[in-house]
Amino acid sequence: MISLQEARAFVLASLTPASPVVVALLAADGRVLATDITADEAIPPFANTAMDGFAVRSADSVGASDDEPVELSVVATLAAGQAPSAAVGPGEAIRIMTGAPMPDGADAVVMVERTRALAGDRVEILAEVAPGNHVRPAGDDLVPGQAVFAAGAVLGAGHLGVLASLGHAEVSVVPSPRVGVFSTGDELVEGSEPLRPGQIRDSNRITMLSLVAESGCEAVDLGRIPDDPDAIAAAIHLGVSTCDALLTTGGVSMGDFDYVKVVLDQIGTMRWMQIAVRPAKPLAFGTVERSDGVAVPVFGLPGNPVSSMVSFELFARPGLRAMMGHDADDLDRPQVMAVVDEPLHRRPDGKVHLDRVVVRYDRDDATFHLRSAGHQGSHQLTGMAGANGLAIVADGDTVEIGDVVPVMLLGPH
Ligand code: AMP
Ligand code: MG
């Protein structure tokens, strides 16, 4: 058996980010930026008002108060989107709406709540304002030539908004891989067809397709493949010719018909690992060369339904994220430390256990707490379904109430 760290390092060593592609902004959401972005325009492009109110000369407002208002003459009204057609002279004001450009002559804005409208285009100013009051100067957010985002940034809504503000319709990003998924096993059927003796329904393919899609990749369903070396070889060849990565389940254990590892070894470069974790001990990871010379990674995950999901979290998700250009410290789900609210039973066995747990953030003590999600067998998918975390339980004895353990957050908590 090898350690989790060693297995992970082995997988990650052969995965590199894909070549950048230029995509429309919306398609860049969640992708890793492939180039540095520098501002070539000022944001905001012009000085404008942050408030609805009156653009004034601050000097005119000196001494203004509720009791002693200053009266100004309103010479124009300026909406957002309009260019100023008049300047503000001494004793004058321009009615101005949020986002409208500051007119010449004015150096401050008095918000409408601190004014009183009078008849005949006149207004009373009820407060003294300093120069620059409620004015957003040009370049207040970005100035031309300023570094905006560095390559490697993970683009989210805010980034896309900044790029749109700068006039970018497209951006260069690391693309997400197309990931082919097939399940293996002679016992597998799907849908509602009645089960003949010995058969079970395929649950791994749907969980894997869902995890692949959720991790930001394009999931490609390559079907169910029997425990037949030729069929498995054909499925892998087809998969590598159309996908950037492959994910299979089953056929990587010690059984007589576990052919995935055998075939992968024959047609690619593969390492079959026994990893000191529970569940998800066996993993076959390798690469198969495509006709264009690209080495396509293949994750041969174990067949037990919980094992394949845990293996996905431990190896496939970080691997796929590495292909998507994420930093080495941003490959895994977030981890928090959590207080154990009920014992997590175990015995020393040389393995790290990934217990399916329910994590909850307690607002009263500002601490995460966890308890078992129930069924902990690697065949008991309901325990995984009910879990929103994987507690990372180091080798040793039962973890007692009050102990603190790291937990990988799988979902909302
Ligand atoms: P294997 O790794 O192929 O030996 O499979 C281990 C266990 O997982 C066996 O009990 C299989 O029946 C079960 N299994 C394998 N593939 C699937 C699948 N796609 N859906 C549900 N169970 C599976
Ligand atoms: Mg099998």
Side-chain angles (χ1 to χ4, degrees), residues 183-185 187-188 200-205 227 249-253 258 302-305:
S183 51
T184 69
E187 71 277 34
L188 302 177
I200 59 167
R201 297 193 181 90
D202 181 359
S203 60
N204 288 350
R205 194 147 47 89
D227 289 317
T249 68
V252 296
S253 295
D258 285 334
N304 273 308

Coordinates of all heavy atoms in Angstrom, one line a residue, residues 183-185 187-188 200-205 227 249-253 258 302-305, ligand 1:
S183 N -18.9 2.9 -17.2 CA -18.8 1.9 -16.1 C -18.6 0.5 -16.7 O -18.9 0.3 -17.8 CB -20.2 2.0 -15.4 OG -21.2 1.8 -16.3
T184 N -18.0 -0.3 -15.9 CA -17.8 -1.7 -16.3 C -18.4 -2.7 -15.3 O -18.5 -2.4 -14.1 CB -16.2 -2.0 -16.4 OG1 -15.7 -2.0 -15.1 CG2 -15.5 -1.0 -17.2
G185 N -18.8 -3.8 -15.9 CA -19.3 -4.8 -15.0 C -20.4 -5.6 -15.7 O -21.4 -5.1 -16.2
E187 N -22.5 -7.4 -14.4 CA -23.7 -7.5 -13.6 C -24.6 -6.3 -13.8 O -25.7 -6.2 -13.2 CB -23.3 -7.6 -12.1 CG -22.7 -6.3 -11.4 CD -21.2 -6.2 -11.7 OE1 -20.7 -6.5 -12.8 OE2 -20.5 -5.6 -10.8
L188 N -24.1 -5.3 -14.5 CA -24.8 -4.0 -14.6 C -26.0 -4.0 -15.6 O -25.8 -4.4 -16.7 CB -23.9 -2.9 -14.9 CG -22.7 -2.7 -13.9 CD1 -21.8 -1.6 -14.4 CD2 -23.2 -2.5 -12.5
I200 N -27.4 -6.0 -10.9 CA -27.7 -4.8 -10.2 C -27.8 -3.7 -11.2 O -27.3 -3.8 -12.3 CB -26.7 -4.4 -9.1 CG1 -25.3 -4.3 -9.8 CG2 -26.6 -5.5 -8.0 CD1 -24.3 -3.6 -8.9
R201 N -28.4 -2.5 -10.8 CA -28.4 -1.4 -11.7 C -27.2 -0.5 -11.6 O -26.6 -0.4 -10.5 CB -29.7 -0.6 -11.5 CG -30.9 -1.4 -11.8 CD -32.2 -0.6 -11.9 NE -33.3 -1.6 -12.1 CZ -34.0 -2.1 -11.2 NH1 -33.8 -1.8 -9.9 NH2 -35.0 -3.0 -11.5
D202 N -26.8 0.0 -12.7 CA -25.6 0.9 -12.7 C -25.9 2.2 -12.0 O -26.7 3.0 -12.5 CB -25.3 1.1 -14.2 CG -24.0 2.0 -14.4 OD1 -23.4 2.4 -13.4 OD2 -23.7 2.2 -15.6
S203 N -25.2 2.4 -10.9 CA -25.4 3.8 -10.3 C -24.1 4.6 -10.5 O -24.1 5.8 -10.4 CB -25.6 3.6 -8.8 OG -24.6 2.9 -8.2
N204 N -23.0 4.0 -10.8 CA -21.7 4.7 -10.9 C -21.7 5.7 -12.0 O -21.1 6.8 -11.9 CB -20.5 3.8 -11.0 CG -20.2 3.0 -9.8 OD1 -20.8 3.3 -8.7 ND2 -19.4 2.0 -9.9
R205 N -22.3 5.3 -13.1 CA -22.1 6.1 -14.3 C -22.8 7.5 -14.1 O -22.3 8.5 -14.4 CB -22.7 5.5 -15.6 CG -22.3 6.1 -16.9 CD -22.1 5.1 -17.9 NE -23.2 4.2 -17.9 CZ -24.4 4.4 -18.6 NH1 -24.5 5.4 -19.4 NH2 -25.3 3.5 -18.6
D227 N -17.5 -6.9 -18.7 CA -16.1 -7.3 -18.2 C -15.5 -8.2 -19.3 O -15.3 -9.4 -19.2 CB -16.3 -8.1 -16.9 CG -16.7 -7.2 -15.8 OD1 -16.1 -6.1 -15.6 OD2 -17.5 -7.6 -15.0
T249 N -15.3 3.1 -14.0 CA -15.5 2.5 -12.7 C -15.5 1.0 -12.8 O -15.9 0.5 -13.8 CB -16.8 3.0 -12.0 OG1 -17.9 2.4 -12.7 CG2 -16.9 4.5 -12.0
G250 N -15.0 0.4 -11.8 CA -15.0 -1.1 -11.7 C -13.7 -1.7 -12.4 O -13.0 -1.0 -13.1
G251 N -13.5 -3.0 -12.1 CA -12.5 -3.7 -12.8 C -11.1 -3.3 -12.4 O -10.1 -3.5 -13.2
V252 N -10.8 -2.7 -11.2 CA -9.5 -2.4 -10.8 C -9.1 -3.1 -9.5 O -8.1 -2.7 -8.9 CB -9.2 -0.9 -10.7 CG1 -9.4 -0.2 -12.1 CG2 -10.1 -0.2 -9.7
S253 N -9.9 -4.1 -9.1 CA -9.6 -4.7 -7.8 C -8.8 -6.0 -8.1 O -8.2 -6.2 -9.1 CB -10.9 -5.0 -7.1 OG -11.5 -3.8 -6.7
D258 N -11.4 -8.5 -13.2 CA -11.1 -7.0 -13.1 C -10.1 -6.7 -14.3 O -8.9 -6.6 -14.1 CB -10.5 -6.7 -11.8 CG -11.6 -6.7 -10.7 OD1 -12.8 -6.4 -11.1 OD2 -11.3 -6.9 -9.5
P302 N -12.4 2.6 -8.5 CA -13.0 1.4 -8.1 C -14.5 1.3 -8.3 O -15.2 2.3 -8.6 CB -12.7 1.3 -6.6 CG -12.4 2.8 -6.2 CD -11.9 3.4 -7.4
G303 N -15.1 0.1 -8.2 CA -16.5 -0.1 -8.6 C -17.5 0.1 -7.5 O -18.6 0.5 -7.8
N304 N -17.1 -0.1 -6.3 CA -18.1 0.1 -5.2 C -18.6 1.5 -5.3 O -17.7 2.5 -5.4 CB -17.5 -0.2 -3.8 CG -17.6 -1.7 -3.5 OD1 -18.7 -2.2 -3.5 ND2 -16.5 -2.3 -3.1
P305 N -19.8 1.7 -5.2 CA -20.4 3.1 -5.5 C -19.8 4.2 -4.6 O -19.6 5.3 -5.1 CB -21.9 2.9 -5.3 CG -22.1 1.4 -5.6 CD -20.9 0.7 -5.1
Ligands
AMP1 P1 -15.5 -4.1 -9.0 O1 -14.6 -3.0 -8.6 O2 -15.7 -4.2 -10.5 O3 -15.0 -5.4 -8.5 O4 -16.9 -3.8 -8.3 C1 -16.9 -3.8 -6.9 C2 -18.4 -3.7 -6.5 O5 -19.0 -2.6 -7.0 C3 -19.2 -4.9 -6.9 O6 -20.1 -5.3 -5.9 C4 -19.9 -4.4 -8.1 O7 -21.1 -5.0 -8.4 C5 -20.2 -2.9 -7.7 N1 -20.3 -2.1 -8.9 C6 -19.4 -2.0 -9.9 N2 -19.8 -1.1 -10.8 C7 -20.9 -0.6 -10.4 C8 -21.8 0.3 -10.9 N3 -21.6 0.9 -12.1 N4 -22.9 0.6 -10.2 C9 -23.2 0.0 -9.0 N5 -22.4 -0.9 -8.5 C10 -21.2 -1.2 -9.2

